[in-house]
Amino acid sequence: LRLVDTGTVAASAICIFEMTGRVGGRIMSLRGLGPEEDLVVDVGAYRTWPEYTPITHALVTDYLGLPVHCYDPGDVPCAKFNIATEVGSDRKAGFATFVEEMMKRLVDAGARWFPNYELKAIAQASAPADKQLTFGNGAQAVASKLILNMPQRPLLKVLRASSLPMGAVDSGSFGALHTVATEIVTKVYLYYADAWWVNDLGLTSGTFELSGDATEMELKGRYHDGDVKCDANGQNCHGFLQATCAHDFA
């Protein structure tokens, strides 16, 4: 998007091939949940944290101009942010909103988006030659320039199936591809017609934890993470409670 906005590359010269039928990859917002179909759950990435993700936060707020609200109302001053449905609202729009907005702007400018095109292999006869791309649906495309935005394991799978000239992947890139630390994150959300932690306990911020074992699920969540909707008086709330957010680096 930046290349198009600065006039460096014409949008009409860009083709974006996406493995799935949506944009975002591991940023995935499930919308239309709850009895009124107006709740959202971010099953992947979910917030900006300017101290640690300044580029993402600047992209969301400054470059795209999307409204945000405080992720944890207990943070004073606010340190982490969700994307909001509108300015001044504390309702979540879904973190995938900023990726969707970037794609919309690219397509509106003339770029072409191809959903459900899983890249399988790249063939290139020599370094100056074009790259021939083969996709899982049988389609092929030719590109003079190629940017791969893929997780480590799918990328390695594609490279193993590819035919590339000597030196296409230098030693530095090869080493980097194999030194990425894999982190598995598991999140569990529970929907309650009666958001008791808000209605009965008044908890809109804070964490809880109860260790588990082979028979009992670990509980490790946040009262402020799930999407909750209340009436005009801030009562009779319903919504999602984040029951578990567990990290595994194994």
Side-chain angles (χ1 to χ4, degrees), residues 170 176 191 219 228 243:
D170 59 32
Y191 173 78
L219 297 178
V228 174

Side-chain angles (χ1 to χ4, degrees), residues 6 23 76 78 88 93 101 103 148-149 165 169 172 179-180 199 206 208:
T6 57
V23 296
V76 180
C78 186
E101 178 63 20
M103 180 61 76
L148 297 174
N149 181 20
V169 180
T179 54
V180 176
N199 294 331
F208 57 88

Side-chain angles (χ1 to χ4, degrees), residues 106-176:
L106 276 172
V107 172
D108 288 347
R112 287 167 288 177
W113 177 51
F114 297 86
N116 301 307
Y117 274 66
E118 180 183 4
L119 181 63
K120 290 294 187 179
I122 307 166
Q124 186 180 20
S126 62
D130 289 341
K131 296 89 173 165
Q132 181 171 307
L133 314 178
T134 299
F135 301 94
N137 58 9
Q140 292 187 326
V142 175
S144 58
K145 293 183 174 61
L146 180 64
I147 298 175
L148 297 174
N149 181 20
M150 302 172 64
Q152 178 195 37
R153 292 180 183 178
L155 177 56
L156 290 173
K157 186 177 179 180
V158 167
L159 291 178
R160 285 195 294 268
S162 297
S163 175
L164 299 172
M166 185 69 67
V169 180
D170 59 32
S171 59
S173 299
F174 183 86

Side-chain angles (χ1 to χ4, degrees), residues 46-118:
Y46 56 101
R47 67 185 182 188
T48 66
W49 192 344
E51 182 179 356
Y52 297 101
T53 61
I55 295 176
T56 303
H57 187 74
L59 170 63
V60 170
T61 58
D62 298 336
Y63 200 79
L64 298 177
L66 297 175
V68 296
H69 67 85
C70 197
Y71 166 70
D72 181 357
D75 277 351
V76 180
C78 186
K80 314 171 193 75
F81 299 85
N82 287 135
I83 299 176
T85 54
E86 59 185 7
V87 176
S89 172
D90 62 355
R91 299 301 314 284
K92 302 176 189 292
F95 201 59
T97 301
F98 84 91
V99 187
E100 296 161 349
E101 178 63 20
M102 287 194 293
M103 180 61 76
K104 179 181 182 300
R105 295 190 187 188
L106 276 172
V107 172
D108 288 347
R112 287 167 288 177
W113 177 51
F114 297 86
N116 301 307
Y117 274 66
E118 180 183 4

